[in-house]
Amino acid sequence: MAMNFKIFDSKGIAAKYAADLVRKQMNNNPTSIIAFAMNDEQDFFYRALIEDVTKNPVDASQIHVFDYDKNEASFKQMGIVTEQLHKADRNGSLQHDVKKVKTKENKGKLTMLVTTFNADGSIGYREVNADKEEGLLTAREVIVLVTGPDKAKAVKRLYETAESQTTFEAANLKGHRMVTVILDNEAAQGLPADIREYYRSLFS
């Protein structure tokens, strides 16, 4: 398991941290393919990402975005060109769609998934295929933003559920090679006190 927790005092700070990771990915790899499925975490996250990209501009001309959130306006503000901004089909196959935008540089591989899991443990959106072999978890890196007291039980269940327990969708994250789960203090209440202390960020 390569899951890494980060815990921050507030939803706003957690969203800023997640946004900064994404902005750095865009800057470090200008041919990235990134899927966004933020569901109820959209507002704080996209506001933070736009602010970060405005302060620290990136060359987004070759970045492909698969947008499950239907948030075209935000991505255009970040400089994602229309031809490379894809309205993702929640009932489709992301793996298949990503191959359509294959170039020599990006090799048709999903670079990053930016998502959340919901109070029931479903990843991003209930309709999205989260199977490790075919769906969102084919990304090389996964960033998960989870905030609010209503998700504390799901965080607790994620922590306690075995990696092989696939009936709880969020547990599939434990089988991924590189996952960062970013929590605010309220969502982190689902973790044992000693674990919360261990993972609490120095920047919170």
Side-chain angles (χ1 to χ4, degrees):
M1 170 180 162
M3 184 175 293
N4 181 30
F5 288 100
K6 295 284 185 180
I7 302 173
F8 295 88
D9 281 345
S10 72
K11 180 174 183 174
I13 298 172
K16 286 181 180 179
Y17 183 82
D20 194 53
L21 292 181
V22 176
R23 193 267 308 166
K24 286 174 179 174
Q25 171 62 44
M26 295 168 71
N27 183 68
N28 294 338
N29 183 356
T31 62
S32 294
I33 302 176
I34 308 175
F36 293 84
M38 295 303 294
N39 202 344
D40 61 350
E41 302 285 357
Q42 287 189 58
D43 291 345
F44 275 80
F45 172 75
Y46 286 120
R47 196 179 311 144
L49 184 55
I50 290 169
E51 182 179 319
D52 199 351
V53 171
T54 299
K55 288 181 180 177
N56 304 283
V58 298
D59 177 8
S61 62
Q62 298 181 73
I63 293 172
H64 284 269
V65 164
F66 285 86
D67 173 23
Y68 285 93
D69 295 318
K70 301 179 181 178
N71 201 348
E72 181 178 352
S74 292
F75 292 112
K76 287 189 173 179
Q77 276 188 262
M78 296 175 222
I80 305 296
V81 297
T82 301
E83 295 77 13
Q84 286 159 212
L85 176 56
H86 310 283
K87 295 179 181 178
D89 180 2
R90 295 181 193 171
N91 297 302
S93 168
L94 179 60
Q95 185 181 52
H96 177 73
D97 291 341
V98 165
K99 288 180 179 179
K100 292 180 181 178
V101 301
K102 181 178 180 179
T103 66
K104 181 179 179 181
E105 290 76 20
N106 66 37
K107 300 179 181 177
K109 301 291 185 181
L110 183 59
T111 311
M112 177 178 278
L113 163 66
V114 188
T115 191
T116 185
F117 59 79
N118 309 306
D120 65 354
S122 58
I123 298 173
Y125 289 92
R126 200 179 290 274
E127 301 93 334
V128 175
N129 179 4
D131 182 90
K132 288 185 285 187
E133 300 301 322
E134 299 177 3
L136 296 177
L137 298 187
T138 58
R140 293 173 187 165
E141 180 176 1
V142 181
I143 305 296
V144 190
L145 176 63
V146 182
T147 67
D150 59 318
K151 297 186 180 180
K153 288 184 179 179
V155 171
K156 180 177 187 291
R157 190 174 176 191
L158 170 66
Y159 181 75
E160 294 177 346
T161 302
E163 181 180 320
S164 60
Q165 173 55 272
T166 56
T167 57
F168 180 58
E169 193 170 283
N172 285 336
L173 294 167
K174 288 188 171 182
H176 195 280
R177 60 190 174 278
M178 191 174 183
V179 178
T180 301
V181 180
I182 301 165
L183 307 171
D184 71 349
N185 190 52
E186 291 183 325
Q189 294 306 305
L191 296 173
D194 59 331
I195 299 300
R196 291 200 305 273
E197 186 63 29
Y198 179 80
Y199 282 112
R200 182 168 294 281
S201 171
L202 295 174
F203 302 104
S204 60

